[in-house]
Amino acid sequence: MSEEAKKSGANTMWGGRFSSSPSALMEAINASIDFDKRLASEDIQGSIAHSAMLAKRGIIAESDRDAIQQGLQRVLGEIESGSFTFSTALEDIHMNVESRLREIAGDPAARLHTARSRNDQVAVDVRLWVRNAHDRADEQITNLIKVLLDKAEQHAGTVMPGFTHLQGAQPVTFGHHLMAYVEMFGRDRGRFRDSRVRLNESPLGAGALAGTSFPIDRHMTAKALGFDGPTRNSLDSVSDRDSLLEFMSAAAICAVHLSRLAEEIVIWMSAPFGFVRLPDRWTTGSSMMPQKRNPDAAELVRGKTGRIFGSLMSLLTVMKGLPLAYAKDTQEDKEPLFDAADTLEIVLAAMTGMVQDLEPVPGRMAAVAGAGYSTATDLADWLVRSLNIPFRDAHHITGRIVSEAEKRGTSLEDLALDVMQAVEPKIHKGIYEVLSVENSVRSRTSFGGTSPVRVTEQIAWWRERV
């Protein structure tokens, strides 16, 4: 076989657009600039803090520091204006910035990387980025909670059916139902805040894995970057990605709650329910059926949940088998992080808008709330409370009364007193005080219950906390 044929055969093994040489494939698999350029601001922020510390400790001259910082500001301006040219050959955001800085500042730029490795550099960059992502999520969840509180307050007394197994159970209020999601999103906000506290330590200064022999001040750089202090173990500092995993874990749980609410909106908008309406900006029509109004925004919130789950599982899989300290595998942390953060941001914004514009249909809700003998539990409770009948016996009596109502095709509220007395003679007309859905809802006054009084208390409690 000729040398050309051998080369051709070898190149074919690399496949596709990388057939020119193994080095092209290595460059493609190794380069991260296409996605880690999103860390440009954080990278420059970390470098400014590092250069300031180096000068303060006498490791570099103040004139070098000034040249470095002026050059970094110019690089940042070029990136923000879109005039910066990113190079795949330079692999990542760190080398792209440093190369351009060298062109601008000359020799002083070569002193910037003193007492620093790309390992601790990327660790601090991504930690700064994910800290900001925590703050954005916190703000968006707070806005969603506020919108839910406003809507719940408007409908604290609006009756709707409550469900278990998606079967009519007991009447509740729409406000109470929305407040259940306030609780969920409140926990989500708490998870992001807890995670932020844990991540707020600076890995800068850990070096490649063992620290450095230069007399650096890690507390100074930590403070300059808004961290509570430096991390305490250099090995863990460069290899840890817990802050990303915690962010994506919190995002995944939040996405579950968003998806559940989205699913309910889809169900509520369907013709058999007809509980709510959404304006055209949150729905689409059909290319074939002119009568359709599809809740596409809610469906997409529900669907995009899978992307966040996938991002979390991707990074968990990357991290699960890595020995200490740094390994190039962790380059795979950024794309799932960015995608999860971007996805969470858009679905939170969409859900906030939908809740704000959501209009319930109280008449339809009330009609369904009264169907299916939803006040049967109220009847049983009344037998216990008013006639001192043991609950198990009251449960049996109620079942027989419901059966009589079904035979007559009537509601419990409209069932004749003598029919109920035929089942239990001690029943008197006071029973009718609890058989309407409105009275049922008002009677649920236990702490956390659906009574409008309790719902109003829940809203007030949450307003103090948002």
Side-chain angles (χ1 to χ4, degrees):
M1 183 181 292
S2 69
E3 287 303 312
E4 287 76 18
K6 290 178 181 178
K7 289 179 181 177
S8 176
N11 290 341
T12 300
M13 290 178 65
W14 297 109
R17 62 191 178 92
F18 304 116
S19 59
S20 61
S21 69
S23 61
L25 178 56
M26 184 59 198
E27 180 178 302
I29 197 173
N30 189 50
S32 59
I33 188 59
D34 286 346
F35 51 85
D36 71 14
K37 60 187 178 184
R38 290 185 64 167
L39 298 174
S41 177
E42 288 78 11
D43 192 69
I44 290 171
Q45 184 182 354
S47 291
I48 289 173
H50 184 65
S51 62
M53 180 275 296
L54 292 177
K56 183 69 177 289
R57 299 293 294 171
I59 299 171
I60 66 173
E62 291 184 357
S63 58
D64 290 336
R65 174 202 61 198
D66 295 342
I68 288 169
Q69 295 191 359
Q70 290 168 13
L72 287 171
Q73 293 292 354
R74 181 173 166 184
V75 173
L76 180 60
E78 291 176 358
I79 292 172
E80 291 177 342
S81 69
S83 63
F84 189 94
T85 301
F86 292 99
S87 168
T88 303
L90 291 171
E91 295 184 14
D92 54 34
I93 187 60
H94 323 298
M95 297 307 296
N96 270 262
V97 169
E98 186 173 326
S99 176
R100 179 62 182 136
L101 178 64
R102 188 72 180 265
E103 292 173 354
I104 295 170
D107 288 343
R111 302 185 186 279
L112 171 60
H113 209 56
T114 307
R116 185 176 70 172
S117 163
R118 275 194 290 179
N119 294 356
D120 63 333
Q121 187 177 0
V122 70
V124 76
D125 289 1
V126 76
R127 197 171 288 214
L128 286 168
W129 196 97
V130 79
R131 186 176 69 183
N132 290 334
H134 277 77
D135 293 340
R136 290 193 300 272
D138 187 323
E139 182 179 3
Q140 282 195 286
I141 293 170
T142 299
N143 289 337
L144 176 55
I145 290 173
K146 288 178 179 179
V147 168
L148 284 164
L149 289 173
D150 289 343
K151 192 68 67 173
E153 191 167 43
Q154 295 168 28
H155 296 282
T158 300
V159 173
M160 72 172 290
F163 298 94
T164 62
H165 309 276
L166 205 55
Q167 304 295 311
Q170 293 176 273
V172 294
T173 70
F174 188 53
H176 189 57
H177 196 107
L178 294 179
M179 289 303 295
Y181 285 99
V182 169
E183 295 289 332
M184 294 183 212
F185 294 123
R187 293 192 295 271
D188 291 328
R189 190 175 71 160
R191 272 182 280 271
F192 282 111
R193 290 183 174 185
D194 290 345
S195 173
R196 193 192 190 285
V197 171
R198 272 185 294 279
L199 75 83
N200 205 37
E201 295 178 340
S202 173
L204 187 59
L209 75 162
T212 177
S213 59
F214 287 95
I216 63 172
D217 185 347
R218 293 189 62 208
H219 290 84
M220 178 181 172
T221 51
K223 184 177 180 181
L225 294 170
F227 290 108
D228 295 330
T231 51
R232 294 181 176 274
N233 183 282
S234 60
L235 288 166
D236 180 58
S237 299
V238 298
S239 60
D240 165 55
R241 293 298 184 270
D242 285 4
S243 57
L244 280 64
L245 288 170
E246 283 205 65
F247 173 82
M248 285 190 272
S249 297
I253 298 172
C254 183
V256 169
H257 298 149
L258 289 164
S259 185
R260 293 180 71 182
L261 181 50
E263 170 69 0
E264 297 217 272
I265 291 172
V266 171
I267 292 171
W268 292 342
M269 285 190 66
S270 66
F273 282 78
F275 287 177
V276 300
R277 298 190 185 98
L278 275 177
D280 290 346
R281 60 178 164 271
W282 300 112
T283 62
T284 64
S286 165
S287 61
M288 183 177 184
M289 297 167 285
Q291 83 283 7
K292 293 293 292 298
R293 175 175 277 181
N294 302 319
D296 281 15
E299 291 173 0
L300 286 166
V301 169
R302 185 178 61 187
K304 286 182 181 294
T305 298
R307 293 181 66 141
I308 298 176
F309 291 176
S311 294
L312 172 60
M313 188 52 62
S314 175
L315 186 54
L316 285 169
T317 305
V318 167
M319 298 301 298
K320 73 174 183 63
L322 296 186
L324 292 175
Y326 180 81
K328 195 66 178 241
D329 308 51
T330 54
Q331 181 170 292
E332 295 299 307
D333 61 356
K334 294 165 198 65
E335 288 181 286
L337 169 65
F338 296 155
D339 192 74
D342 291 347
T343 303
L344 181 66
E345 189 168 340
I346 195 168
V347 294
L348 279 169
M351 183 56 72
T352 301
M354 279 190 285
V355 171
Q356 197 163 27
D357 292 344
L358 196 69
E359 288 299 330
V361 184
R364 178 60 182 162
M365 285 182 170
V368 178
Y373 307 102
S374 63
T375 58
T377 304
D378 297 275
L379 194 159
D381 289 346
W382 184 88
L383 293 173
V384 173
R385 190 171 55 250
S386 300
L387 304 183
N388 199 30
I389 295 174
F391 181 79
R392 286 301 175 195
D393 296 338
H395 188 280
H396 178 70
I397 292 168
T398 300
R400 290 176 58 194
I401 292 173
V402 168
S403 179
E404 292 296 328
E406 286 178 329
K407 290 177 186 177
R408 291 164 172 76
T410 185
S411 66
L412 289 176
E413 188 178 6
D414 295 328
L415 189 63
L417 181 62
D418 61 344
V419 175
M420 289 189 275
Q421 289 174 332
V423 177
E424 170 50 62
K426 291 189 287 184
I427 292 176
H428 54 77
K429 63 182 181 180
I431 188 68
Y432 292 104
E433 296 176 1
V434 300
L435 294 183
S436 71
V437 291
E438 290 79 8
N439 287 340
S440 172
V441 164
R442 282 196 292 269
S443 73
R444 303 292 170 182
T445 56
S446 58
F447 184 81
T450 194
S451 165
V453 173
R454 292 291 173 256
V455 174
T456 300
E457 289 175 354
Q458 295 168 30
I459 294 168
W461 188 90
W462 270 104
R463 286 204 187 280
E464 292 180 2
R465 284 155 181 79
V466 298

